[in-house]
Amino acid sequence: MEKLQPVRGTRDLIGEDQRRHTQVIDTARRIAALYGFEEWTTPIFEDTRVFSRGLGDTSDVVSKEMYSFTDRGGDSLTLRPENTAGVCRALVSNGLAQANLPRKVFYAGPMFRYERPQKGRYRQFHQIGCEILGAAEPLADAEVIACGWHIQQALGMTEGVVLEVNTLGDAESRDAYREALVAHFSAHATALSADSQVRLAKNPLRILDSKDEGDRKIVATAPDIHPYLTASAAAFYAAVTGYLTAFAVPWRENPRIVRGLDYYSHTAFEFVTDRLGAQGTVMAGGRYDGLVEEMGGPATPSVGWAAGVERLSMLLPEAPPAPRPVAVIPVTEAQEPQALAALRLLRSAGIAAEIGYKGNMKRRMERANRIGARAAVILGEDEVAAGNAQLKDLTTGEQMLVPLAELAALLR
RNA sequence: GCGGCCAUAGCUCAGCUGGCAGAGCGUCGGCUUGUGGUGCCGGAUGUCACGGGUUCGAGCCCCGUUGGUCGCCCCA
């Protein structure tokens, strides 16, 4: 029979991998709650239009990178490639866009993109994210970034990670900037890489993050957006960065950060590291003032970010340790009832405890060691008769006789 | 969609110019019938990724496929 393997770009989370994953999500959930975010869970698949609206036709995203399928009712459905669109759709579907804004949403869960896997990049991967829906104020941008920064701090990974911030301005600023960029790159068109010559026609902003050596020289002399900002867009950017400083979040300006889609405006930011090969972005986000309208809701200015759990897991300074239970060991079968009673006692006291299902005492000791038990509670005929147990510390090897009544307190 | 590198035991890997399939770790058993982890002795484990080809003979050479990995494209 053919050996079954996980499908390309998917993987199992077991042992240390799962503990890292859990730590990232639990920590993010806890910190996000401190900032007033409530957790939402939206469906893993949606009507394809939830994701295709607003994407336009400038990229391969819709045609090549979504897991889309037709269900038995003939509807086109898509496994969610990201969760911002789903959250915006949920806001509208549940009638929440009408009142009580802004709404602050945290989410965590699997996402799916049909891509070639590489370091930190999978076909089923996991994201956490925070969105503030219905807030046009720059304080919202700064707060959502501060929350992301705080999560990374709580995970102990801010060493080597830098927050880069830029603005895309408003529509008027961006149109002017795009024109200037096209003029600059057109003047060097023949020197551009083949990829970038295509970008020049399709999505000129993307030339700014080309990895081609020759392109980079031309990019270096390309204009920044800042001279093209309208007065109000410039004021918005100044307010966001001022609030970041007030929140004590270290940041630096990177005028090369862009976004490809039209519904983005103003703030764009990325937390980047050089420790993940080609996949240097750890957490990325920005302001999207047009997306909720794309979902059929009212104009709802919003800002948020998403982060890949796999990448955050790889950056954890150390793996969370495996839990170390207490092993309860009857010396012979005759002590099994007392062993079960001790198990119950320990678990009721909130102490993780295990019992082997078979084997003599030696086997059970070996198993206790293998599962990483921190202590063994050994119940023999003599101990049981006197209401005692042997309590053995499996790290030091020290063993002492203790009354059963004191067990839980000694192991807490 | 495109390219570089890789694929031998559960894991990490060695395998000479093409000549009997190997090591360490792990695992199992024993030394030790009321004590793990450290010691000593012993055992088991392979479609050498898959399919073709060359050869007296292929883990090794050639072609293809699949998978992994690192990049490119893309990155909502």
Side-chain angles (χ1 to χ4, degrees):
Chain A
M1 187 141 84
E2 200 177 337
K3 208 186 274 181
L4 293 172
Q5 295 188 327
V7 316
R8 177 174 219 133
T10 69
R11 60 179 199 147
D12 303 305
L13 292 174
I14 295 174
E16 181 184 322
D17 291 334
Q18 178 66 61
R19 291 198 299 278
R20 286 174 177 270
H21 192 94
T22 301
Q23 165 136 325
V24 167
I25 291 176
D26 287 354
T27 301
R29 181 177 282 131
R30 176 171 60 81
I31 302 299
L34 294 179
Y35 285 73
F37 289 85
E38 55 174 329
E39 184 164 357
W40 286 12
T41 299
T42 65
I44 282 176
F45 55 88
E46 300 259 7
D47 188 308
T48 296
R49 290 170 295 182
V50 169
F51 307 113
S52 60
R53 278 187 192 174
L55 284 176
D57 58 352
T58 55
S59 65
D60 296 344
V61 165
V62 176
S63 57
K64 282 169 43 180
E65 297 183 5
M66 295 202 310
Y67 272 99
S68 298
F69 58 97
T70 305
D71 76 357
R72 292 175 192 218
D75 298 317
S76 176
L77 306 180
T78 295
L79 299 183
R80 63 185 187 190
E82 52 96 16
N83 208 11
T84 304
V87 165
C88 289
R89 193 231 81 225
L91 184 84
V92 176
S93 305
N94 292 278
L96 303 174
Q98 306 299 323
N100 290 327
L101 296 177
R103 203 97 192 183
K104 299 162 82 171
V105 178
F106 168 82
Y107 64 81
M111 310 291 161
F112 304 85
R113 296 181 187 181
Y114 190 84
E115 298 185 290
R116 191 69 179 264
Q118 51 185 290
K119 192 179 185 70
R121 207 170 183 183
Y122 302 91
R123 287 185 173 180
Q124 175 176 338
F125 61 104
H126 299 79
Q127 283 188 330
I128 54 172
C130 284
E131 317 283 357
I132 301 179
L133 304 159
E137 297 75 18
L139 181 51
D141 304 54
E143 193 182 42
V144 83
I145 294 171
C147 179
W149 168 252
H150 196 156
I151 287 168
Q152 292 177 65
Q153 272 187 313
L155 290 168
M157 61 178 46
T158 48
E159 200 93 356
V161 176
V162 175
L163 167 62
E164 298 187 334
V165 183
N166 194 26
T167 179
L168 310 170
D170 49 25
E172 188 185 333
S173 313
R174 203 164 37 175
D175 287 347
Y177 179 50
R178 181 189 302 259
E179 211 169 294
L181 266 189
V182 170
H184 172 79
F185 288 126
S186 297
H188 298 84
T190 52
L192 286 171
S193 66
D195 283 332
S196 284
Q197 293 190 23
V198 174
R199 291 182 181 117
L200 182 54
K202 259 169 64 174
N203 198 350
L205 297 195
R206 281 289 170 205
I207 299 175
L208 291 175
D209 47 29
S210 171
K211 288 172 181 170
D212 182 86
E213 192 95 358
D215 287 352
R216 301 203 122 162
K217 286 188 192 122
I218 301 169
V219 167
T221 59
D224 288 357
I225 193 174
H226 293 87
Y228 300 90
L229 292 176
T230 61
S232 68
F236 190 94
Y237 180 61
V240 171
T241 53
Y243 282 130
L244 282 179
T245 302
F247 275 124
V249 178
W251 62 278
R252 77 176 179 213
E253 186 168 290
N254 178 354
R256 300 301 182 229
I257 292 179
V258 297
R259 289 288 182 270
L261 303 176
D262 287 340
Y263 57 72
Y264 283 108
S265 57
H266 295 292
T267 315
F269 60 92
E270 297 183 358
F271 288 86
V272 298
T273 178
D274 57 6
R275 287 162 58 201
L276 291 176
Q279 310 302 320
T281 302
V282 173
M283 182 180 278
R287 177 162 279 279
Y288 49 97
D289 286 352
L291 189 55
V292 174
E293 272 180 293
E294 299 279 357
M295 299 300 154
T300 307
S302 304
V303 60
W305 53 257
V309 177
E310 283 77 6
R311 291 183 194 175
L312 293 172
S313 294
M314 286 191 281
L315 291 173
L316 283 182
E318 54 194 29
R324 302 192 62 189
V326 171
V328 175
I329 298 176
V331 171
T332 72
E333 228 172 276
Q335 286 83 43
E336 194 174 79
Q338 288 84 358
L340 297 181
L343 253 195
R344 227 157 54 83
L345 177 94
L346 289 170
R347 289 170 174 167
S348 300
I351 295 164
E354 288 241 47
I355 187 166
Y357 298 145
K358 64 172 183 182
N360 59 23
M361 181 186 178
K362 181 184 168 69
R363 287 271 171 276
R364 290 168 189 250
M365 284 296 287
E366 283 171 354
R367 162 117 186 128
N369 194 58
R370 231 178 303 119
I371 66 173
R374 61 191 169 107
V377 171
I378 301 162
L379 298 162
E381 192 179 354
D382 299 345
E383 290 87 350
V384 164
N388 291 330
Q390 294 287 350
L391 176 58
K392 179 163 187 168
D393 184 315
L394 291 179
T395 306
T396 64
E398 282 170 32
Q399 182 170 321
M400 59 182 178
L401 187 67
V402 304
L404 279 169
E406 291 175 24
L407 251 191
L410 284 166
L411 286 167
R412 200 175 300 282

